[in-house]
Amino acid sequence: MIPAPFEYVRVGSVDEAIAALAADEEAKLLAGGHSLLPAMRLRVARPSTLIDIGRIEGLSAIREDGDAIVIGALARHHDVANSELLQRSCPIVAFAAAQIGDPQVRHVGTIGGSVAHGDPAGDMPAVLLALDATFVAVGAGGATRRIDSVSFFTGLFETALAPTEVLTEIRVPQATGGWSFLKFNRRAQDWALVGVSAVHVAGGVHVSLTNMGLTPLRATAVEEALAGGADPVAAAARADEGTGPPDDAFASSDYRRALVKVLTQRALQEAMA
Amino acid sequence: MTQVSITVNGTSHTDDVEPRTLLVYYLREYLRLTGTNIGCDTSSCGSCTVHVDGRSVKSCAMLAVQADARAVTTIEGMASDGELHPLQDAFHRNHGLQCGFCTPGMIMAAASYLEENPDPTEEEVRESLEGNLCRCTGYQNIVASILDAARGDG
């Protein structure tokens, strides 16, 4: 399986990437390529130009900025998983990064690519949604825009990024309280049939769900129940409210609805222990 | 066509490739290094594992142009001066293979992992092979081989 032909441009800066995007509306950015290239090999994706941003300097650092931790969009999953700063200050992100794909995938795939791909079955989008992460994008003329996580994931493989915007940074809060990241699958490298992230943020417990709809979802009913004093068992019973899980070859929609309640209960018990 | 210069097993190669050329096809068809196998063709099985700048990657999921100016190591680059790499030797002594198709990828994945964690437990070795499938052995002797190489036995 070979991708359809395309033009290849390697850029050295975000500005060059934006200019190249503006020049060809069928172009796609290439970071690690571990979501895009498999799709291109199946010819599900057929970009006319690949704009390789993988070597732009300064976009892969992980650093502190006041109360936030800033993760460069080109940080590899392996480096996110092994970041001492994240392990100490926002451990759910480091832990989840270590569950993505397999070691070879984690050596190449990037957090920015994973997020911009907008796959509701991806591990990292739901974690960032639970954390109320902020996504920083740069567009035409160097205009910088901050997008909150609730607005970022707009649909199946769709995000709020404009066609000529480049995701440059992801900002997460320090989250050193209890947390849990649970992913249920049948085989080691499979996508999550269902995943649940639970983490203490800003005085409350945030819960988000992987692969329970067209985007990663906040389990709003669970969060409201907890805020109202419900125990984890009672709160978790509401985990499928407002969801629309897929019905596919791997699991039925009903199975996912049952599974999400079980996983949410376990995640809450772990995060709130 | 795009020109790439890739150092493979210590030797620099410069070639014009179509941008869509995957690294595994560059290695096998341009350089005739056929030790790197193509198994599933969907970045699942790990048979095509090589090192790029010292880290294991699946060469069927990477374009040759992404490896431009990088250093690639394949299974052919593991032995030196006629001496097997310790992992190759350990797979040989422990019968860490049956049909052998997955073996180059297993050895390249294990070599990268042992660089990160030179003294792993059995469970850690099994987890480190998450990205590599073997359909013959049940993994038992593969894991034994990697643990043997890590301990420097034999």
Side-chain angles (χ1 to χ4, degrees):
Chain A
M1 297 185 298
I2 309 291
F6 55 85
E7 298 292 320
Y8 174 80
V9 187
R10 185 183 300 152
V11 295
S13 69
V14 173
D15 288 346
E16 282 177 39
I18 294 164
L21 283 171
D24 180 353
E25 65 180 22
E26 295 296 319
K28 289 279 280 181
L29 298 180
L30 174 71
H34 272 41
S35 297
L36 180 57
L37 291 174
M40 288 174 62
R41 300 191 65 185
L42 294 169
R43 306 211 176 183
V44 176
R46 296 184 72 143
S48 52
T49 303
L50 277 192
I51 303 164
D52 188 350
I53 59 170
R55 299 186 197 206
I56 297 178
E57 298 278 337
L59 276 192
S60 55
I62 301 169
R63 61 187 169 85
E64 268 181 306
D65 182 15
D67 291 340
I69 301 155
V70 182
I71 308 169
L74 291 181
R76 314 264 180 199
H77 302 311
H78 176 86
D79 298 321
V80 172
N82 289 287
S83 159
E84 287 180 16
L85 175 59
L86 286 167
Q87 287 172 352
R88 185 172 66 242
S89 302
C90 196
I92 191 174
V93 171
F95 181 86
Q99 314 302 311
I100 295 171
D102 55 50
Q104 292 95 316
V105 168
R106 294 193 289 271
H107 284 152
V108 184
T110 66
I111 189 168
S114 165
V115 165
H117 187 55
D119 185 341
D123 293 311
M124 196 52 80
V127 172
L128 297 173
L129 183 63
L131 283 166
D132 274 337
T134 302
F135 300 88
V136 181
V138 179
T144 299
R145 187 162 74 104
R146 291 188 173 203
I147 308 166
D148 64 58
S149 60
V150 174
S151 313
F152 187 82
F153 300 102
T154 53
L156 188 66
F157 300 113
E158 287 180 4
T159 70
L161 291 168
T164 55
E165 276 183 325
V166 178
L167 178 66
T168 56
E169 286 177 356
I170 296 154
R171 302 172 68 91
V172 295
Q174 310 233 2
T176 54
W179 58 274
S180 177
F181 174 82
L182 297 177
K183 168 181 176 179
F184 190 90
N185 53 18
R186 294 186 196 278
R187 296 170 302 191
Q189 1 162 281
D190 279 353
W191 301 102
L193 284 180
V194 173
V196 177
S197 306
V199 61
H200 285 265
V201 178
V205 176
H206 290 189
V207 181
S208 68
L209 310 176
T210 301
N211 214 5
M212 285 295 291
L214 297 179
T215 65
L217 298 171
R218 281 285 282 275
T220 321
V222 175
E223 294 178 1
E224 284 170 5
L226 289 172
D231 63 32
V233 178
R238 300 182 59 188
D240 70 329
E241 285 184 26
T243 66
D247 206 356
D248 58 29
F250 301 104
S252 68
S253 177
D254 286 345
Y255 180 76
R256 286 189 165 94
R257 285 182 183 278
L259 182 57
V260 77
K261 295 176 191 173
V262 175
L263 290 180
T264 299
Q265 183 180 323
R266 289 180 194 162
L268 291 177
Q269 284 166 339
E270 191 174 20
M272 297 166 74
Chain B
M1 300 291 263
T2 302
Q3 192 178 74
V4 292
S5 291
I6 306 176
T7 300
V8 180
N9 300 331
T11 304
S12 179
H13 297 269
T14 300
D15 286 290
D16 290 322
V17 299
E18 265 195 283
R20 61 176 171 162
T21 306
L22 296 159
L23 179 58
V24 68
Y25 288 102
Y26 177 74
L27 296 170
R28 289 178 58 89
E29 295 180 3
Y30 282 68
L31 306 186
R32 296 289 168 190
L33 293 171
T34 53
T36 304
N37 287 329
I38 299 171
C40 68
D41 225 14
T42 58
S43 65
S44 301
C45 79
S47 292
C48 65
T49 301
V50 301
H51 296 178
V52 175
D53 288 347
R55 286 177 166 189
S56 60
V57 308
K58 291 180 171 177
S59 60
C60 82
M62 181 181 259
L63 300 169
V65 290
Q66 289 177 284
D68 183 33
R70 306 286 196 217
V72 175
T73 306
T74 69
I75 190 67
E76 290 91 342
M78 294 300 274
S80 61
D81 298 329
E83 291 283 317
L84 292 178
H85 184 277
L87 274 164
Q88 292 174 308
D89 185 48
F91 271 68
H92 180 218
R93 284 185 290 101
N94 290 281
H95 198 59
L97 57 117
Q98 287 181 27
C99 86
F101 193 88
C102 71
T103 313
M106 289 287 177
I107 288 177
M108 300 312 288
S112 175
Y113 181 66
L114 292 181
E115 282 288 316
E116 286 171 28
N117 182 5
D119 187 24
T121 64
E122 180 183 335
E123 189 182 350
E124 287 171 334
V125 168
R126 288 184 184 277
E127 278 182 11
S128 79
L129 298 176
E130 186 180 14
N132 293 76
L133 298 179
C134 171
R135 299 291 79 168
C136 307
T137 66
Y139 302 94
Q140 194 63 28
N141 284 354
I142 294 173
V143 173
S145 302
I146 296 168
L147 286 168
D148 187 351
R151 291 177 189 133
D153 292 353

